[in-house]
């Protein structure tokens, strides 16, 4: 005989943070578990006051929750809009039909725009568990997506969120595919381009697999989590902004996929293209410069691979109404010296302030990209755009514009400094011939970046530099002794990050 309230339980707030995933905890002796046949890791439907969520069940064999209770993670409480002692109903959920298309993709099927629409709709509604999102990400990873699929996924990502219309024919933007430590050109490019009179509302992501994203770096100097209304106000006043795209849900499905990609430490080629272009379209951009660094330890390792990406980017962009130019750049070594949010911010400020010790490579690359964007806009047909970009930087207009944008976003502050440091010195004399970008990034992450904004690596050994024994090659920065120890232990275990030859 069923319990008289066999589907109803009392909520218990057990204070467990499961990040974005809805998790429920029920006693193994619960009459709901027994009557419904629920087992550990089952997906269950929870309803309360007209709201519902699908959660993953953890079965408890302790007194954490009682027979008539269901413990909910902080995410589940928030998404269901309930609190401790509220009553909820527990049911079996309907099967998530779209996951059949994910299984088909695993076995080589080509997905359509309708398939992606259904999958992303269920992902956004959190009907997928993290493991199911991971299955989708993995099925699309590597080179597993065709060009029509990338186009379809891009359009579905645009459909999945809000879209900003600026009411202008020219809305500039830029993006780097990443994989190169430092390379924090965006704040400089935005400052130059906005000072030149173009509109450039830059929404950026936080780090996925790198020690810092543009939003992480900007957050050490100003507020980046603005609403769409606040972004409109800043751009209307200053012509540009530098904000975190995740705060405005321009492509909410992509934000979830990025979270899973970060956990898996992978970057899918097709999903990256769809991610980048869908966010540009959703942000209202019309003219976009894409920076693809190429190098033996960068994300893109060969000219052939870069040209393939260029073809895909342009082909997909054409279908969603974007004007795109790809710039293939040197990815053999870090750009600038700082690797980590605050350290990269220091480089950006040195360039904008025209300080004598500003990283020349960062300045030159930022000027190159800004000039290409000015040219792509078609608004400066009779001008030497590189000379114009340099002039705007040299005469202080870019620095003034950067400050004005930061103040409009909520204020400007100098980036902080880490308390703990470790200097890595050259063990022999010679010339720096190569640097392992991936391990240098990993070293910065082990030091705490980007979670600890002041953590990272300050790199001072560019390729071609002649060093003698005892010369400083780089400095590890950390916010705690423990994180510094992690980084130093890793450094002592691996082969040379920097190759020095006679």
């Amino acid at each position: 005989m069923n319990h008289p309230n066999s589907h109803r339980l009392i909520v218990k707030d057990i204070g467990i943070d499961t990040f974005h995933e809805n998790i429920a905890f029920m006693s193994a002796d619960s009459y709901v578990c027994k009557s419904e046949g629920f087992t550990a890791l089952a997906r269950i439907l929870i309803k309360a006051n007209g709201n519902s969520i699908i959660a993953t069940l953890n079965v408890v064999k302790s007194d954490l929750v009682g027979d008539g209770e269901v413990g909910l993670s902080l995410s589940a409480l928030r998404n269901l809009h309930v609190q401790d002692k509220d009553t909820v109903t527990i049911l079996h959920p309907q099967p998530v039909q779209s996951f059949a298309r994910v299984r088909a993709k695993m076995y080589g099927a080509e997905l359509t725009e309708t398939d992606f629409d259904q999958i992303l709709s269920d992902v956004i509604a959190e009907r997928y568990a993290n493991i199911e999102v991971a299955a989708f990400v993995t099925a699309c990873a590597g080179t597993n997506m065709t060009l029509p699929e990338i186009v379809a996924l891009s359009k579905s990502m645009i459909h999945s969120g809000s879209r900003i219309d600026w009411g202008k024919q020219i809305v500039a933007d830029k993006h780097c595919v990443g994989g190169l430590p430092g390379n924090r050109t965006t704040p400089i490019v935005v400052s130059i381009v906005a000072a030149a009179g173009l509109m450039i509302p830059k929404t950026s992501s936080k780090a996925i697999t790198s020690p810092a994203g543009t939003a992480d770096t900007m957050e050490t100097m100003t507020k980046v989590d603005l609403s769409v209304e606040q972004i409109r106000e800043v751009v209307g006043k200053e012509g540009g902004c530098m904000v975190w795209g995740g705060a405005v849900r321009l492509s909410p499905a992509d934000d979830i996929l990025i979270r899973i990609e970060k956990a898996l430490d992978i970057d899918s080629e097709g999903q990256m293209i769809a991610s980048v272009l869908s966010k540009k379209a959703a942000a209202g951009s019309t003219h976009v410069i894409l920076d693809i660094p190429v190098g033996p330890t960068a994300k893109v390792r060969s000219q052939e691979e870069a040209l393939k990406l260029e073809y895909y980017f342009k082909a997909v962009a054409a279908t969603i109404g974007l004007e795109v130019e790809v710039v293939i750049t040197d990815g053999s070594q870090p750009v600038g010296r700082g690797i980590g949010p605050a350290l990269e911010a220091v480089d950006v400020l040195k360039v904008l302030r025209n300080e004598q010790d500003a990283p020349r490579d960062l300045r030159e690359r930022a000027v190159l990209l800004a000039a290409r964007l000015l040219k792509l806009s078609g608004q400066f047909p009779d001008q030497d755009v590189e000379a114009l970009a340099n002039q705007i930087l040299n005469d202080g207009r870019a620095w003034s514009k950067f400050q004005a944008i930061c103040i409009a976003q909520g204020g400007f502050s100098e980036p902080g400094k880490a308390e703990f440091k470790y200097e890595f010195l050259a063990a022999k004399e010679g010339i720096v011939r190569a640097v392992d970008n991936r391990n240098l990034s990993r070293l910065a992450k082990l030091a705490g970046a980007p979670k600890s904004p002041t953590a990272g690596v300050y790199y001072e050994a560019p390729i071609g530099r002649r060093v003698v024994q005892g010369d400083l090659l780089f400095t590890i920065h950390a916010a705690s002794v423990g994180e510094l120890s992690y980084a130093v232990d890793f450094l002592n275990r691996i082969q040379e990050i920097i190759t020095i030859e006679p």
Side-chain angles (χ1 to χ4, degrees):
M1 182 175 179
N2 286 340
H3 189 282
N5 294 303
S6 60
H7 294 98
R8 296 174 68 80
L9 294 173
I10 303 300
V11 170
K12 183 174 183 180
D13 179 355
I14 54 179
I16 295 180
D17 184 1
T18 56
F19 195 37
H20 285 276
E21 188 159 22
N22 297 323
I23 302 292
F25 302 81
M26 282 197 285
S27 168
D29 297 325
S30 166
Y31 50 79
V32 173
C33 277
K34 291 180 177 179
S35 66
E36 296 299 326
F38 289 138
T39 57
L41 301 184
R43 298 287 280 166
I44 61 174
L45 176 65
I46 309 177
K47 292 186 173 184
N49 304 319
N51 301 311
S52 65
I53 62 171
I54 295 178
T56 300
L57 176 64
N58 285 353
V59 175
V60 178
K61 295 184 177 181
S62 71
D63 58 0
L64 179 67
V65 290
D67 181 22
E69 295 178 321
V70 57
L72 295 182
S73 66
L74 298 180
S75 176
L77 289 167
R78 181 175 61 251
N79 293 332
L80 192 56
H81 304 289
V82 295
Q83 55 189 355
D84 198 56
K85 305 300 184 185
D86 283 350
T87 301
V88 297
T89 301
I90 311 293
L91 301 165
H92 284 279
Q94 293 295 318
V96 181
Q97 300 295 334
S98 68
F99 197 71
R101 301 309 301 151
V102 176
R103 292 193 194 93
K105 181 61 184 170
M106 292 177 184
Y107 289 96
E110 184 169 328
L111 302 186
T112 66
E113 188 175 335
T114 300
D115 293 331
F116 286 120
D117 283 343
Q118 293 171 352
I119 291 168
L120 297 187
S121 175
D122 285 334
V123 167
I124 294 168
E126 298 185 335
R127 299 186 186 101
Y128 278 34
N130 279 352
I131 193 170
E132 291 168 326
V133 180
F136 173 60
V137 168
T138 306
C140 297
T143 57
N144 289 344
M145 294 182 72
T146 65
L147 179 56
E149 283 183 308
I150 299 171
V151 170
L153 179 58
S154 301
K155 291 181 177 179
S156 292
M157 283 183 172
I158 296 170
H159 300 158
S160 73
S162 56
R163 190 168 183 174
I164 302 176
D165 183 358
W166 296 100
K168 286 185 173 288
Q169 290 187 330
I170 308 294
V171 181
D173 207 340
K174 64 84 61 177
H175 182 82
C176 176
V177 301
L180 193 62
N183 202 22
R184 198 54 56 212
T185 57
T186 291
I188 305 167
V189 171
V190 170
S191 301
I192 293 171
V193 171
L198 291 181
M199 177 181 281
I200 180 164
K202 184 72 179 78
T203 60
S204 300
S205 60
K206 295 190 176 183
I208 303 174
T209 57
S210 68
T214 296
D216 299 300
T217 296
M218 287 302 303
E219 198 168 25
T220 68
M221 298 178 283
T222 191
K223 184 180 178 183
V224 297
D225 55 339
L226 275 61
S227 67
V228 173
E229 291 73 23
Q230 289 171 321
I231 291 172
R232 285 189 179 277
E233 185 177 344
V234 172
V235 175
K237 184 178 181 181
E238 299 299 339
C241 67
M242 291 166 274
V243 300
W244 175 43
V248 293
R249 291 179 63 84
L250 293 177
S251 183
D254 185 51
D255 296 331
I256 296 170
L257 299 184
I258 284 174
R259 189 175 77 230
I260 298 301
E261 286 177 342
K262 183 175 181 179
L264 296 174
D265 198 15
I266 62 171
D267 283 297
S268 164
E269 179 183 277
Q271 285 179 342
M272 175 190 70
I273 295 167
S275 169
V276 170
L277 295 182
S278 66
K279 285 188 172 179
K280 299 307 173 193
S285 303
T286 61
H287 292 67
V288 184
I289 289 290
L290 295 171
D291 176 15
I292 303 181
V294 177
T297 56
K299 182 186 292 183
V300 181
R301 300 195 180 190
S302 69
Q303 188 77 4
E304 181 182 8
E305 187 180 348
L307 291 172
K308 178 185 174 186
L309 275 176
E310 178 179 14
Y311 168 74
Y312 278 164
F313 269 122
K314 288 187 172 181
V316 176
T319 69
I320 58 176
L322 288 178
E323 188 82 23
V324 164
E325 181 182 341
V326 172
V327 182
I328 298 174
T329 55
D330 177 19
S332 61
Q333 62 182 330
V335 178
R337 304 187 193 107
I339 303 167
L343 296 172
E344 293 176 22
V346 169
D347 280 353
V348 166
L349 294 176
K350 284 178 180 291
V351 171
L352 288 168
R353 288 166 172 163
N354 291 298
E355 294 182 11
Q356 194 169 8
D357 64 340
R360 180 178 294 275
D361 58 343
L362 179 62
R363 177 195 168 101
E364 289 176 350
R365 187 165 304 202
V367 166
L368 167 67
L369 296 172
R372 292 290 187 91
L373 192 47
L374 294 176
K375 183 178 180 180
L376 181 65
S377 74
Q379 302 301 296
F380 306 90
D382 301 320
Q383 290 183 263
D384 181 338
V385 287
E386 190 160 340
L388 175 61
N390 265 308
Q391 183 182 359
I392 291 171
L393 195 52
N394 290 335
D395 64 21
R397 279 181 285 167
W399 170 228
S400 296
K401 178 57 69 176
F402 179 83
Q403 293 177 91
I405 290 173
C406 287
I407 290 169
Q409 288 184 195
F412 170 76
S413 61
E414 297 287 338
K417 296 181 180 180
E419 184 176 354
F420 303 97
K421 299 177 184 179
Y422 175 86
E423 294 184 340
F424 184 72
L425 310 179
K428 60 183 178 182
E429 182 177 353
I431 296 174
V432 176
R433 298 295 188 189
V435 57
D436 188 327
N437 288 307
R438 291 173 183 264
N439 275 331
L440 199 59
S441 291
R442 190 175 178 190
L443 186 65
K445 288 191 287 183
L446 285 170
K451 187 175 181 181
S452 298
T454 59
V457 172
Y458 202 67
Y459 174 77
E460 300 187 63
I463 292 173
R465 176 188 168 191
R466 178 177 291 277
V467 297
V468 298
Q469 186 176 356
D471 277 354
L472 178 63
L473 299 180
F474 57 79
T475 305
I476 303 173
H477 294 240
S480 71
V481 172
E483 287 172 321
L484 186 65
S485 296
Y486 286 141
V488 173
D489 287 347
F490 171 72
L491 184 61
N492 291 334
R493 287 199 314 271
I494 63 171
Q495 296 178 347
E496 290 182 335
I497 287 182
I498 297 172
T499 301
I500 298 174
E501 297 176 349

